[in-house]
Amino acid sequence: MTNKRYFLAAGIVALSMMATGALAQNLQSVSNYSKMHSNLLAKQNRIQDQIKLEEAQRYAADLYEEVEPEPDIYTEGWESDRVNPYKESQVPNSKVINVTGYVMPVKGNYVTSHYGYRPAFGRSHKGVDLRAAMGDTVRATFSGRVRLTKYERGGFGFYVIVRHENGLETVYGHLSRFLVQPNQYVKAGQPIALSGNTGRSTGPHLHFETRFMGYAINPEAIFDFENRVTHTDKYTFNKSNYTQARNYSPGARYASVRHHSRSAKSSDKVSSRSTGKHRSAARSTYKVRKGDNLGKIAARSGMSVAQLKRINGIKGNKVQAGKVLRTR
């Protein structure tokens, strides 16, 4: 009995001590856990701030850095060493091409030889020749990637071909030195070569071509070299008119107006000769309008006032509106 009481008392004391110890442990851990929790929150805040900073930096980079185009435009015929690596079946009949963001290939604006057939050489000239001195800087016309740098003794000499983001390829020929390498990405206006007199050339100049999927477009259909601008922001390639130049300069428009005016006058003369009798009959009388006087009517009819008065029997210098006068 005594032993049972002893063990019961001991058990109660042990339970009491355990409860007191647990309570003491719980009370002691509150401040520790609070401190740990605060430290953890502080670390999380720093991580979130870092994430936000990195996102902002990536956004700024995407916004302001030059982003290269998707690589699919550099697949067709990229490895070919030919100027035209395309097949006819691949070329659409029509394509709208964005030609903004351009830079003229050389500093000059003088075309020394235009696009088209050259009787003296017995072949077609598939670009334009631009005036350039030996060693002038040649620049990429649009942003893109260099497809080819090559030497051709009987033709372009040293030449560069750049494939651009808008689908065009530009060819720069008769160079004296390359400043770029194949597969190198270049921005519009970046130096790519120095002009020269290599290949089949009669003097220092730049041979410049604009091609769409192998079709050699007349560069003067895209560029107004005289004013160093593009004619429009978009050029529509068409298989039926890609060889034709465009010229929207004031001088060209004036020349066009004069041409049409001369054509119209010539047509009037022919028509006048072929229908002279009908015209004479139609112009043989004139109905006086309000505000007319004898001087106006005579001048319009190509005669003097005295003649007009004589054939119409007019005595004074006044004429009544509505009266029909003979003018022949």
Side-chain angles (χ1 to χ4, degrees), residues 252-314:
R253 286 199 294 269
Y254 178 64
S256 177
V257 169
R258 285 190 301 170
H259 171 73
H260 289 299
S261 177
R262 287 196 299 268
S263 298
K265 288 180 180 179
S266 176
S267 177
D268 285 345
K269 287 180 181 179
V270 172
S271 178
S272 177
R273 287 195 297 269
S274 62
T275 60
K277 293 182 180 180
H278 296 289
R279 286 182 178 274
S280 297
R283 294 178 179 177
S284 61
T285 60
Y286 176 78
K287 187 174 182 179
V288 179
R289 301 173 184 175
K290 186 176 181 180
D292 278 344
N293 57 47
L294 293 176
K296 286 183 180 180
I297 298 169
R300 186 181 293 117
S301 303
M303 60 176 62
S304 67
V305 173
Q307 288 175 315
L308 183 64
K309 290 174 67 176
R310 186 174 64 253
I311 63 176
N312 285 284
I314 299 174

Side-chain angles (χ1 to χ4, degrees), residues 10-26:
I12 292 171
V13 172
L15 290 173
S16 177
M17 290 177 66
M18 288 173 65
T20 304
L23 180 61
Q25 184 179 7
N26 289 338

Side-chain angles (χ1 to χ4, degrees), residues 97-114:
I97 301 171
N98 186 338
V99 291
T100 58
Y102 64 91
V103 172
M104 287 295 174
V106 287
K107 62 182 179 181
N109 61 350
Y110 190 75
V111 178
T112 59
S113 182
H114 297 277

Side-chain angles (χ1 to χ4, degrees), residues 208-219:
F208 177 68
E209 293 185 7
T210 49
R211 290 177 174 257
F212 174 69
M213 299 192 75
Y215 273 71
I217 300 169
N218 188 337

Side-chain angles (χ1 to χ4, degrees), residues 11 51 72 75 87 97 103 108 120 142 152-153 157 204 206-207 230 260 281 295-296:
I51 291 172
D72 53 30
T75 56
K87 297 178 181 178
I97 301 171
V103 172
F142 302 102
E152 185 182 80
R153 182 179 180 181
L206 174 68
H207 174 82
T230 54
H260 289 299
K296 286 183 180 180

Side-chain angles (χ1 to χ4, degrees), residues 63-181:
L63 187 63
Y64 295 109
E65 286 185 2
E66 185 78 22
V67 180
E68 292 189 20
E70 294 297 325
D72 53 30
I73 69 166
Y74 302 120
T75 56
E76 184 60 42
W78 185 256
E79 301 298 330
S80 173
D81 62 354
R82 299 172 58 191
V83 174
N84 178 9
Y86 295 94
K87 297 178 181 178
E88 173 61 28
S89 60
Q90 299 169 328
V91 184
N93 289 322
S94 181
K95 174 70 175 179
V96 177
I97 301 171
N98 186 338
V99 291
T100 58
Y102 64 91
V103 172
M104 287 295 174
V106 287
K107 62 182 179 181
N109 61 350
Y110 190 75
V111 178
T112 59
S113 182
H114 297 277
Y115 179 102
Y117 184 73
R118 287 176 161 182
F121 295 96
R123 60 186 173 87
S124 292
H125 189 224
K126 295 183 178 180
V128 295
D129 290 343
L130 300 173
R131 176 179 289 174
M134 183 68 73
D136 279 354
T137 301
V138 177
R139 302 179 185 277
T141 307
F142 302 102
S143 295
R145 193 178 293 280
V146 178
R147 180 167 72 84
L148 198 63
T149 60
K150 193 177 178 182
Y151 177 73
E152 185 182 80
R153 182 179 180 181
F156 294 147
F158 289 108
Y159 67 96
V160 174
I161 299 178
V162 183
R163 185 173 293 185
H164 303 290
E165 299 165 12
N166 58 12
L168 289 176
E169 284 193 336
T170 48
V171 182
Y172 311 79
H174 306 306
L175 308 171
S176 61
R177 182 182 175 186
F178 300 135
L179 300 179
V180 291
Q181 298 177 346

Side-chain angles (χ1 to χ4, degrees), residues 233-246:
D233 287 343
K234 294 181 179 180
Y235 168 73
T236 302
F237 164 81
N238 190 290
K239 286 183 178 180
S240 63
N241 63 8
Y242 70 94
T243 62
Q244 299 172 12
R246 293 189 296 172

